[in-house]
Amino acid sequence: RGAGWRYDGGLRIPPIVRWPGKVKAGTVSKARVTHVDFFPTILEAAGTTKDPAIPADGESLVPVLTGQGKLQRDALYFHYPNYAWHSKNRLGGAIIEGDYKLLNWYDDDSVELYDLGQDPSESLDIATQNPELADRLKQKLKQWLKETNANMPVRNSVQN
């Protein structure tokens, strides 16, 4: 599985940071971060702030990088409503909260649930064994999609 997928290979890509005088060499963090965190991180590192009129989904990683704090968010969200160039991916979204990751597929509204702490390779779908957790995370993802006014895929309604 590779980039563009909601599975491990598409979302779990560790960043490497070099910041002499701020980040100690060899430091390792287990904080889950995403590419949208880079913008606020670079702004803070440069000693500036963003224009409040420009929305930013990410959170500055400076506290984590410098060992001065942790991230304030309770979950990471991912939304992929379009096909990749090869058109072989399924459209869907994902939420990671703590060790749990839920994938919601838009074509049939099905879900998969993984315990990343016990199963980082996402080989055992535990959604049917944990229906309450799966439903709570699915509803949380759907609420985030609504709050962010996310564009959703449009079903082809052309009939033969």
Side-chain angles (χ1 to χ4, degrees):
R1 300 174 186 159
W5 296 94
R6 263 74 51 222
Y7 292 107
D8 185 59
L11 299 181
R12 189 174 155 207
I13 303 168
I16 298 172
V17 175
R18 181 176 185 270
W19 192 6
K22 296 287 186 175
V23 178
K24 184 179 173 190
T27 300
V28 176
S29 171
K30 293 189 184 244
R32 287 191 172 94
V33 303
T34 183
H35 66 287
V36 297
D37 295 328
F38 297 158
F39 178 61
T41 301
I42 291 168
L43 288 177
E44 184 174 345
T48 188
T49 58
K50 74 171 192 64
D51 180 339
I54 300 172
D57 294 327
E59 189 174 329
S60 174
L61 302 175
V62 170
V64 173
L65 295 173
T66 60
Q68 302 299 312
K70 59 183 185 174
L71 297 173
Q72 299 301 307
R73 64 176 160 241
D74 65 342
L76 281 176
Y77 298 89
F78 302 90
H79 176 54
Y80 206 84
N82 54 314
Y83 288 103
W85 62 271
H86 49 70
S87 300
K88 294 179 183 173
N89 61 304
R90 277 180 88 184
L91 309 185
I95 177 174
I96 301 173
E97 181 184 82
D99 279 342
Y100 293 100
K101 177 179 178 182
L102 178 110
L103 293 101
N104 182 203
W105 301 109
Y106 299 148
D107 56 357
D108 62 4
D109 203 32
S110 64
V111 297
E112 296 173 25
L113 179 66
Y114 299 98
D115 180 344
L116 299 176
Q118 300 296 313
D119 180 25
S121 63
E122 300 169 40
S123 59
L124 179 63
D125 178 2
I126 60 171
T128 56
Q129 294 93 339
N130 299 277
E132 296 87 11
L133 176 60
D135 187 59
R136 184 181 68 75
L137 291 175
K138 180 179 179 181
Q139 295 312 313
K140 191 170 180 176
L141 174 62
K142 287 186 180 262
Q143 182 63 35
W144 175 80
L145 291 168
K146 184 178 178 181
E147 288 171 2
T148 59
N149 198 27
N151 290 326
M152 296 301 290
V154 177
R155 293 180 189 249
N156 187 348
S157 60
V158 176
Q159 296 181 3
N160 295 336

